[in-house]
Amino acid sequence: MAEYVQGIPIMRPYIDQDNQGYWDAVKNHKLVFQHCSKCDKYHHPPRPMCPSCHSQDTLEWKESSGKGIIYSFVMFTTNKMAYPAFKLPYAVVLVEMEEGVRITANTHEIEPDEVQVGLPVEVMFEELPDGQTLYRFKKREA
Amino acid sequence: MAIESIKDKTAIVGIGVIDFSTNIGRSEWYSACQCIKLAADDAGLNIYDIDGMVKNIDDGPDPSYVQKGLGIDNLTYHSESHWGTSAMMNAVQGVASGSCNYCVYYQAAHRVSGPEKSISDYRVAREVKDDSLDMIRYDFFSPFGLIGQPGYVAMMYRRYMHETGITPEQLGWIPVVDSENAAKNPNAIFFDKPITIDDYMKSKVIADPIRELDCAPKVDGAIAIIVTTPEKAKSMKQKPVIISSNAAGMAPEGQFHTSYTRDVITELPEMKNMGDELFRIAGIGPKDIKLAMLDDTFTPYVPLQLEALGFCGKGEGAAFIEGGERIRVGGELPINPDGGLIGQGRFDTTRIVEAVRQIRGTSTNQVAGADTILVASGAGGPADGLILRKA
Amino acid sequence: MTVEYNPDQKIPHPAMWGVLYKSSTPFWEGVKNKKIMLQKCKSCGNLLNPPRPMCPKCQSQENEWITAKGTGKIYSWVTFNEAPHPAFKAPYAAVLVELDEGPRIVSNMVDVKPEDLEIGMAVEVTFEDVAEDLTLPKFRKAG
Ligand SMILES: [Zn+2]
Ligand SMILES: [Zn+2]
């Protein structure tokens, strides 16, 4: 699922100093999360300060296991709300990772009626025709 | 008439300033969190006690991001305002009304390296779509090449020269004195040594009669200020700085830097209205002010502010600044002892920070007896200001 | 001297040619027909330029349009030694003309060098087709 319509640009992430490490890792087919070494806590999306200890220099990038379960999802079925770069229908899933943080992405080879809360998934990476690298989720054995 | 109840009802207890730069290498979100943490440390306040947050719309991430960044549980008061430092008024009102106990005002703007350009491009697009009155500048000025703030101000300044006889040799004392003061302020990054009137006269005339040195350069910076009640302030770390009065001002036919439909275009009636209100609320007059923090984003506005705020008569601004003696530290009315925006870059909130340091007695360019200070922002547009005093 | 443009750059257009700004449409329609149109309040007769949706003197929203004589005096001006937009060749001047009817208008001069400009100089309107789809009101020395 989630196939692209040719000729319509896919929106790119706005990369700034706070999330650069995250997107650099994606480029190398790695999923990393921001981690405070002082509090031993993960945060996502990346942010400039640890909200627990207010430190700005204990934030590091830690590679994720890439595994999680679908926490919730949206199925786009009509043109009214969907972004035109995507072929319908497509799902956007909110995945709760083993590290405890949640991230959104599309799915890979999961039929619409298979997408459900609690489904075990793992991350995979794809190279888009426009040169950017994105991640999506496929089924995994629980 | 504004409420007198604002008088002496609030105090500044914390300031947080990051090192200014022309390429800071971090996000505005980062700087916003950083300066608020610095301000809380300065105040001796626990970050979780902050329950109010205000900012100017144009600058930096909104309170929902900053609250999330800081991990604060709740904000009982949050709002944004336009122009200059007018969000300070939201902080004052929020605390005085009891909507919050510790309100942080912040300005986090990376005007050189940050996303401001894309934001303003977006704003242009939005204004076109919204059929906004601001189209006047795009419709009626831009086709003729009257583009950009230096040009807008130059049109007014040319007329001011014609009406009062002010010369560049006189106006140049604003950047000269700013540079002398900036050389003493480590966070003022644009002058490491003072310039002379000759240097000013050699400065490139970009939009005649406006020179390069008449315009405050852009800068990356972030500042936070914490406001609470004088009662709470008593038991805090710093000697409180009392907000005697706080007011905004507008006037007929105003348009940001381009109020060309006014009968007289060489006055700042918004600033006059604001100043009258500040003095009325505080119950004092221009003679009681020991130091003025004025808006020098564009230098011609400084003599105009001196006139509008009653520090001198109409048309006397040029004589007031000439030679620099009256506006230097030790003079009759020191102006911007931190180097102003000419020395530090376009960052309006620096004026409030310097006023706080002067009243605390911790400025790097201390004015003796600086116990009552007027701060003015928004020259050439909607004005806002404060009178701050020693507790 | 007349303002010179860089032919490969688009001159900033009044929004009418891009997105409609309703209050100013009659002004720019007038310019196409080589007239300076001024908005006149139907209630109190106040003349306005640039146009706007309400009369600030009497709060009336009823207005009509009159044709200005096209004569006036220079009220102020700016000489751009650096062009703030790539369509314009520096140096050039933008002038603020006070029309004889009262309202002021931003424009450029035709055949007058920036250094010869003076506040109070009597001027009269002329119209210049600066691009295929853009006519602008400009001014020259009167008489
Ligand atoms: Zn932490
Ligand atoms: Zn009327």
Side-chain angles (χ1 to χ4, degrees):
Chain A
M1 244 180 29
E3 285 173 46
Y4 302 110
V5 176
Q6 266 198 331
I8 300 176
I10 297 152
M11 285 191 261
R12 286 169 176 269
Y14 178 77
I15 296 173
D16 64 13
Q17 291 92 342
D18 297 324
N19 63 26
Q20 173 116 38
Y22 180 84
W23 292 108
D24 284 352
V26 167
K27 199 91 205 139
N28 295 317
H29 292 207
K30 284 195 171 78
L31 188 63
V32 298
F33 292 121
Q34 197 178 42
H35 178 259
C36 175
S37 57
K38 198 165 152 197
C39 308
D40 193 20
K41 275 186 185 156
Y42 286 96
H43 314 112
H44 184 80
R47 53 180 77 194
M49 177 181 270
C50 170
S52 303
C53 71
H54 304 126
S55 166
Q56 296 192 289
D57 51 21
T58 57
L59 300 172
E60 55 184 4
W61 299 105
K62 272 201 161 180
E63 188 166 357
S64 164
S65 70
K67 292 178 184 152
I69 58 165
I70 293 181
Y71 187 81
S72 188
F73 65 94
V74 186
M75 189 69 69
F76 288 92
T77 54
T78 70
N79 278 323
K80 198 162 183 182
M81 290 305 298
Y83 184 67
F86 297 89
K87 284 186 185 160
L88 295 170
Y90 68 93
V92 179
V93 291
L94 181 65
V95 174
E96 187 161 275
M97 305 300 294
E98 287 183 341
E99 292 80 10
V101 300
R102 297 179 192 139
I103 76 171
T104 52
N106 296 127
T107 56
H108 178 71
E109 290 181 349
I110 309 179
E111 290 305 311
D113 56 359
E114 289 180 294
V115 179
Q116 50 186 298
V117 172
L119 185 76
V121 290
E122 66 182 323
V123 78
M124 59 167 287
F125 296 87
E126 64 170 340
E127 301 295 333
L128 269 46
D130 67 354
Q132 64 175 316
T133 308
L134 267 187
Y135 47 90
R136 47 173 75 199
F137 284 93
K138 63 182 181 189
K139 282 186 280 188
R140 69 174 164 94
E141 295 302 316
Chain B
M1 289 276 143
I3 40 169
E4 272 79 359
S5 65
I6 217 73
K7 185 184 177 184
D8 298 342
K9 287 294 189 296
T10 53
I12 295 174
V13 292
I15 50 175
V17 187
I18 68 164
D19 292 340
F20 283 12
S21 162
T22 51
N23 184 12
I24 204 153
R26 292 188 295 267
S27 71
E28 290 182 342
W29 193 14
Y30 185 105
S31 295
C33 292
Q34 186 186 13
C35 70
I36 292 171
K37 191 181 169 191
L38 289 169
D41 289 348
D42 180 63
L45 188 71
N46 189 320
I47 281 182
Y48 297 106
D49 288 331
I50 293 169
D51 55 358
M53 210 173 264
V54 301
K55 69 177 275 274
N56 303 313
I57 281 172
D58 293 355
D59 298 327
D62 68 49
S64 75
Y65 274 88
V66 176
Q67 179 256 356
K68 183 179 174 182
L70 294 165
I72 296 173
D73 297 331
N74 187 16
L75 294 176
T76 57
Y77 182 79
H78 48 82
S79 75
E80 295 182 279
S81 181
H82 282 281
W83 310 306
T85 58
S86 60
M88 266 303 281
M89 199 153 178
N90 302 37
V92 168
Q93 302 279 354
V95 168
S97 68
S99 290
C100 56
N101 295 305
Y102 300 98
C103 191
V104 61
Y105 158 100
Y106 63 96
Q107 184 180 25
H110 298 174
R111 297 225 168 87
V112 190
S113 72
E116 194 199 33
K117 195 184 175 310
S118 55
I119 292 170
S120 53
D121 285 348
Y122 164 73
R123 192 174 305 124
V124 169
R126 191 182 61 187
E127 280 166 354
V128 169
K129 200 168 154 233
D130 286 357
D131 192 17
S132 142
L133 191 67
D134 223 33
M135 286 311 304
I136 282 174
R137 282 203 287 267
Y138 304 114
D139 273 10
F140 290 89
F141 301 168
S142 299
F144 306 100
L146 182 63
I147 295 169
Q149 295 184 8
Y152 298 156
V153 177
M155 191 70 89
M156 180 285 295
Y157 174 38
R158 167 91 58 197
R159 188 73 201 177
Y160 187 53
M161 292 169 86
H162 173 79
E163 290 175 4
T164 67
I166 187 171
T167 62
E169 289 84 353
Q170 290 176 305
L171 186 67
W173 286 96
I174 295 301
V176 167
V177 174
D178 269 344
S179 76
E180 293 169 5
N181 292 336
K184 295 178 185 161
N185 176 0
N187 208 27
I189 60 176
F190 291 107
F191 296 97
D192 48 8
K193 60 179 182 356
I195 59 158
T196 64
I197 272 289
D198 277 350
D199 297 330
Y200 171 79
M201 293 305 292
K202 281 180 205 140
S203 167
K204 202 191 259 177
V205 185
I206 50 173
D208 194 355
I210 289 272
R211 288 170 153 74
E212 215 158 40
L213 278 170
D214 290 316
C215 309
K218 289 185 177 179
V219 76
D220 292 353
I223 295 178
I225 290 173
I226 296 175
V227 177
T228 188
T229 62
E231 292 71 37
K232 289 195 178 67
K234 270 182 201 154
S235 57
M236 294 179 74
K237 193 167 139 193
Q238 302 286 352
K239 276 186 229 158
V241 170
I242 304 295
I243 299 178
S244 267
S245 66
N246 177 210
M250 287 223 198
E253 297 297 301
Q255 185 169 293
F256 201 46
H257 296 314
T258 52
S259 302
Y260 304 150
T261 59
R262 282 182 175 154
D263 289 348
V264 178
I265 69 171
T266 52
E267 291 173 353
L268 297 174
E270 297 91 345
M271 207 52 101
K272 182 184 187 316
N273 290 346
M274 176 209 77
D276 288 353
E277 192 65 4
L278 282 182
F279 289 127
R280 193 185 67 81
I281 294 170
I284 60 172
K287 289 269 177 291
D288 300 308
I289 300 297
K290 308 289 170 50
L291 159 62
M293 298 303 301
L294 303 182
D295 186 346
D296 61 345
T297 313
F298 297 101
T299 58
Y301 285 139
V302 176
L304 287 178
Q305 283 170 87
L306 290 168
E307 296 173 15
L309 296 168
F311 293 117
C312 66
K314 162 98 175 122
E316 293 169 12
F320 199 98
I321 62 175
E322 185 168 14
E325 291 311 320
R326 294 161 86 178
I327 59 173
R328 282 193 179 105
V329 171
E332 180 184 330
L333 182 74
I335 294 174
N336 302 352
D338 58 349
L341 268 50
I342 296 289
Q344 294 171 103
R346 295 182 75 160
F347 218 88
D348 292 300
T349 309
T350 54
R351 288 192 281 276
I352 302 172
V353 166
E354 175 64 9
V356 168
R357 286 180 176 151
Q358 288 284 347
I359 289 172
R360 287 180 180 176
T362 59
S363 171
T364 50
N365 195 16
Q366 189 64 41
V367 174
D371 54 5
T372 311
I373 300 178
L374 184 142
V375 181
S377 295
D384 71 273
L386 301 149
I387 292 177
L388 303 177
R389 69 166 176 84
K390 209 168 183 165
Chain C
M1 198 182 85
T2 306
V3 173
E4 286 176 41
Y5 303 99
N6 288 313
D8 55 332
Q9 296 285 341
K10 200 171 161 71
I11 300 162
H13 271 211
M16 186 191 151
W17 280 278
V19 180
L20 198 69
Y21 172 49
K22 294 179 192 69
S23 305
S24 26
T25 305
F27 178 90
W28 292 105
E29 286 294 340
V31 169
K32 274 189 193 169
N33 298 316
K34 310 221 183 301
K35 285 176 182 160
I36 293 183
M37 305 297 289
L38 296 175
Q39 193 184 30
K40 183 180 181 182
C41 173
K42 265 193 179 169
S43 170
C44 76
N46 188 25
L47 291 173
L48 290 163
N49 185 69
R52 54 176 92 179
M54 180 180 271
C55 170
K57 289 233 166 83
C58 73
Q59 288 74 44
S60 166
Q61 296 197 282
E62 298 292 314
N63 58 60
E64 57 194 343
W65 291 80
I66 64 153
T67 307
K69 281 184 296 180
T71 50
K73 288 187 172 69
I74 290 183
Y75 190 78
S76 189
W77 85 95
V78 186
T79 304
F80 287 89
N81 291 326
E82 283 175 19
H85 187 282
F88 300 86
K89 284 187 187 168
Y92 68 91
V95 293
L96 183 63
V97 171
E98 187 164 275
L99 296 171
D100 287 343
E101 290 85 355
R104 297 180 192 134
I105 180 171
V106 169
S107 183
N108 305 120
M109 292 300 289
V110 171
D111 298 331
V112 180
K113 286 185 208 149
E115 56 267 35
D116 295 332
L117 288 168
E118 271 172 38
I119 287 180
M121 178 188 280
V123 296
E124 61 189 18
V125 76
T126 174
F127 292 87
E128 192 180 324
D129 298 323
V130 296
E132 236 170 68
D133 56 352
L134 183 60
T135 302
L136 293 177
K138 302 222 168 172
F139 287 84
R140 61 178 171 229
K141 231 172 151 167

